[in-house]
Amino acid sequence: MARTVSKIIRFQDEEEFIEVIDSALEGFSYLASRYGHNPVEGIVLWDQIGIRDNVGLKVFRVGEFPFVEGTLELDLETIRVLEEYFDEMESKWDELSVEDIAHFVDLINDALGKEIVVYDAYDLGLDRNTAYIVLNLVNLQYLDGILEGEDREVFERSVELLLRYI
């Protein structure tokens, strides 16, 4: 059996999708903290962007930059350049496409003279209202085989939520 499987998930209502997936991920994270195995190895939303700062990579969604900029350990000039481009992207939110975001990321990195902004959704083939998920089947099978009681209920609920989109 393969260890992981990747899938592009399509959804109509982004807010509902985020809420459902967050609930599923919360359950799996709880189980992983107790049993050391998380079936969800990763998820990338169509509008997620990463920024490398002096500490590491911080991931956020377009529109969340005002909340993230206070956590970035970068010089003030770099943050101002980032803010300018992210404000421009947010102002075009309704018609923003994956291609547009990829173009903005290229412009940002060019303006900064270094590649600190990362955008994987374009390379993964995502479109608006899509996400890319990586599931660890071995971990899923392991948890399915050992859980009982309340932890079993958490597992089944998380799987059920995930299956709404898979």
Side-chain angles (χ1 to χ4, degrees):
M1 176 163 83
R3 180 172 170 82
T4 63
V5 64
S6 304
K7 179 161 179 47
I8 293 178
I9 300 171
R10 301 190 190 298
F11 49 87
Q12 296 300 316
D13 184 334
E14 190 165 314
E15 288 181 35
E16 177 185 322
F17 173 78
I18 299 294
E19 186 177 310
V20 169
I21 291 301
D22 277 350
S23 292
L25 293 176
E26 185 178 305
F28 288 135
S29 292
Y30 161 76
L31 295 170
S33 73
R34 296 203 55 191
Y35 301 96
H37 294 77
N38 193 334
V40 179
E41 290 194 351
I43 189 162
V44 177
L45 293 168
W46 73 277
D47 62 346
Q48 279 183 323
I49 294 177
I51 298 178
R52 282 189 197 90
D53 66 2
N54 299 331
V55 177
L57 184 70
K58 296 191 171 73
V59 179
F60 65 97
R61 298 180 66 208
V62 172
E64 293 179 344
F65 187 74
F67 307 108
V68 176
E69 69 180 310
T71 67
L72 292 172
E73 293 195 27
L74 294 168
D75 63 83
L76 189 56
E77 183 57 35
T78 299
I79 289 177
R80 284 191 179 140
V81 170
L82 292 170
E83 186 174 37
E84 176 185 331
Y85 282 97
F86 284 106
D87 285 348
E88 179 70 21
M89 271 192 283
E90 290 171 39
S91 74
K92 298 177 183 210
W93 174 253
D94 290 335
E95 62 269 354
L96 196 63
S97 70
V98 174
E99 291 82 9
D100 294 333
I101 296 172
H103 179 69
F104 272 104
V105 168
D106 289 342
L107 291 174
I108 294 168
N109 287 329
D110 286 347
L112 294 173
K114 55 187 172 184
E115 292 196 22
I116 66 167
V117 183
V118 183
Y119 182 63
D120 293 330
Y122 180 76
D123 295 334
L124 291 170
L126 299 183
D127 289 316
R128 186 180 268 274
N129 293 331
T130 60
Y132 183 85
I133 190 166
V134 179
L135 298 174
N136 185 311
L137 301 177
V138 174
N139 289 349
L140 187 67
Q141 187 177 33
Y142 172 78
L143 290 173
D144 187 36
I146 66 161
L147 296 175
E148 295 177 355
E150 289 181 26
D151 287 349
R152 168 57 102 198
E153 291 174 20
V154 170
F155 175 75
E156 288 178 356
R157 182 178 184 287
S158 296
V159 169
E160 180 184 315
L161 291 171
L162 199 55
L163 287 176
R164 288 186 189 177
Y165 293 99
I166 295 181

